[in-house]
Amino acid sequence: GAGVSQSPSNKVTEKGKDVELRCDPISGHTALYWYRQSLGQGLEFLIYFQGNSAPDKSGLPSDRFSAERTGGSVSTLTIQRTQQEDSAVYLCASSSRGLTNTGELFFGEGSRLTVL
Amino acid sequence: GEDVEQSLFLSVREGDSSVINCTYTDSSSTYLYWYKQEPGAGLQLLTYIFSNMDMKQDQRLTVLLNKKDKHLSLRIADTQTGDSAIYFCAESSLSGSARQLTFGSGTQLTVLP
């Protein structure tokens, strides 16, 4: 498809396990974002990738969270030693605009993570 | 830091107008956005307004911006059941970093028949 693709759409895991969430941005989009959406909360910014620049990791809530983007395309968000408070919908978005112009963000459908 | 506030819920009757309000704190915001999230879907951009504008109209949607009060509203005319969704207000700041797209908590709009 032509949109942002995320997998898995649903993930149930046990506390303490590691999880990986994947995002395939729209082809040609240089900017990629990860947000977290918790019930009743706004979208919490996690991390931002722009081209080959160093990622902006200022939103990652703890060192259990990490993300990488290979070849400027697919991104993986990894959560180590998951905790119950990590339960949320993790949204990925991509954009064709650069750092100086926000432009429109195109969102995937999200990965719903439930930590038991 | 930047903060964006919205009420959590709004119910209207089909055919009535809906007004969703938002306040923000960053006076250097350059663009303000309204995104719509339907159940089980990602967010989609509905409309946006540049900070030097007071109003923008797009079919059934009217965006009003009061920059002095840092207040943004989205009016949906002739609201339909298909408009039921969560509406997010978002701002981007003049600092230019695309990461500074700050979202509100979202307003759940329910359209009653």
Side-chain angles (χ1 to χ4, degrees):
Chain A
V4 177
S5 177
Q6 292 188 246
S7 61
S9 53
N10 273 290
K11 176 72 176 179
V12 180
T13 190
E14 293 179 348
K15 179 180 169 181
K17 301 280 190 184
D18 297 353
V19 296
E20 283 190 353
L21 307 176
R22 176 189 166 105
C23 173
D24 257 300
I26 292 173
S27 178
H29 279 190
T30 57
L32 186 148
Y33 306 74
W34 283 98
Y35 285 88
R36 178 166 70 175
Q37 183 180 18
S38 304
L39 192 64
Q41 304 291 318
L43 270 67
E44 178 188 5
F45 165 77
L46 297 177
I47 188 168
Y48 160 64
F49 296 89
Q50 171 56 44
N52 295 321
S53 302
D56 179 349
K57 304 178 182 181
S58 60
L60 294 178
S62 79
D63 59 9
R64 296 187 295 105
F65 287 72
S66 62
E68 61 178 25
R69 188 179 184 190
T70 52
S73 179
V74 172
S75 177
T76 303
L77 176 70
T78 302
I79 309 172
Q80 295 178 309
R81 305 181 303 282
T82 52
Q83 304 294 311
Q84 288 182 331
E85 61 262 29
D86 299 334
S87 296
V89 177
Y90 290 82
L91 292 167
C92 177
S94 69
S95 171
S96 62
R97 301 295 185 98
L99 275 174
T100 57
N101 191 335
T102 301
E104 176 181 357
L105 295 188
F106 293 83
F107 282 84
E109 294 185 355
S111 292
R112 180 177 295 279
L113 175 65
T114 303
V115 182
L116 302 177
Chain B
E2 298 89 350
D3 195 20
V4 179
E5 300 279 345
Q6 299 178 243
S7 54
L8 290 180
F9 302 101
L10 176 66
S11 291
V12 299
R13 292 281 177 194
E14 191 174 10
D16 288 350
S17 292
S18 309
V19 180
I20 302 172
N21 294 301
C22 169
T23 57
Y24 60 97
T25 57
D26 189 348
S27 58
S28 68
S29 293
T30 51
Y31 288 92
L32 294 122
Y33 301 82
W34 285 103
Y35 278 81
K36 177 182 180 182
Q37 184 182 35
E38 295 183 352
L43 279 71
Q44 285 189 306
L45 180 66
L46 259 187
T47 186
Y48 67 91
I49 188 167
F50 190 51
S51 59
N52 68 353
M53 297 169 64
D54 298 325
M55 185 180 86
K56 180 178 180 181
Q57 188 147 7
D58 183 3
Q59 299 183 339
R60 292 190 297 121
L61 305 179
T62 303
V63 178
L64 295 177
L65 175 61
N66 181 329
K67 199 171 179 182
K68 173 177 169 289
D69 295 338
K70 300 192 186 68
H71 182 268
L72 183 73
S73 68
L74 173 70
R75 179 177 180 269
I76 306 173
D78 187 25
T79 314
Q80 303 298 307
T81 54
D83 295 324
S84 292
I86 302 175
Y87 291 80
F88 289 89
C89 169
E91 62 168 355
S92 68
S93 66
L94 190 59
S95 66
S97 170
R99 76 161 175 87
Q100 292 190 27
L101 193 62
T102 304
F103 287 85
S105 58
T107 299
Q108 170 80 58
L109 174 65
T110 302
V111 182
L112 305 171

